[in-house]
Amino acid sequence: MILEVDTLNKTLRFNILHLILWSLVSVAFLWVFLEFDAISNWGDNALKSILLALFFVVGFGGDLILRFKFKLNRNETEADGLSDSLRLKAMESSYIATLLYIFIAAISIYIRYEDSGLVPVGWLWFIAYSLILVVNIASSLAILIMHHKNK
């Protein structure tokens, strides 16, 4: 199924672009994290820190631009085809996805480092920053899925 941009309402266009933006930031984040071996070399590479800060500035800057461009007034919100109950379901779904992510990440790290009793501090950094990515992606994806299911 190919979506035609002209037929999409503002909310759906916003969420599609929001999902694309944060997915690109996520790919860049993972590239820096995996390429520069951030866990074992935490704090040793200033370039890594600058790149990651730049990626998040792009993400939040793009988010701000999207929110201004697609700002909805009350009449548009009511007419965009997404009911309040649908929005609530989408937010509940993204909340659950976020909780699952935190749980799985924390348990995986625990299992990996259980014998040594020490967890590298880089993992705390990874969870904190990746949580921003998960929340942004999950919220947009949930809206798009709920809209598609309730057409």
Side-chain angles (χ1 to χ4, degrees), residues 18-19 35 49 51 56 76 91 94 101 108 120 128 134-135 141 143 148:
H18 191 257
L19 179 63
E35 184 70 24
S49 299
L51 281 174
F56 279 95
E76 288 175 318
M91 288 300 105
S94 64
Y101 170 74
S108 298
V134 169
V135 167
L141 192 57
I143 288 280
H148 181 71

Side-chain angles (χ1 to χ4, degrees), residues 96-116:
I96 291 168
T98 302
L99 290 175
L100 284 172
Y101 170 74
I102 294 170
F103 179 78
I104 291 169
I107 291 299
S108 298
I109 292 167
Y110 170 79
I111 290 169
R112 169 69 174 88
Y113 294 100
E114 181 179 14
D115 293 337
S116 71

Side-chain angles (χ1 to χ4, degrees), residues 14 16 20 22 32 38 71 75 77 90 100 114 120-121 127 134 138 146 149:
F14 168 82
I16 290 169
I20 291 168
W22 285 103
V32 169
K71 185 176 180 179
N75 293 336
T77 302
L100 284 172
E114 181 179 14
V121 72
I127 290 174
V134 169
M146 292 296 169
K149 286 173 73 174

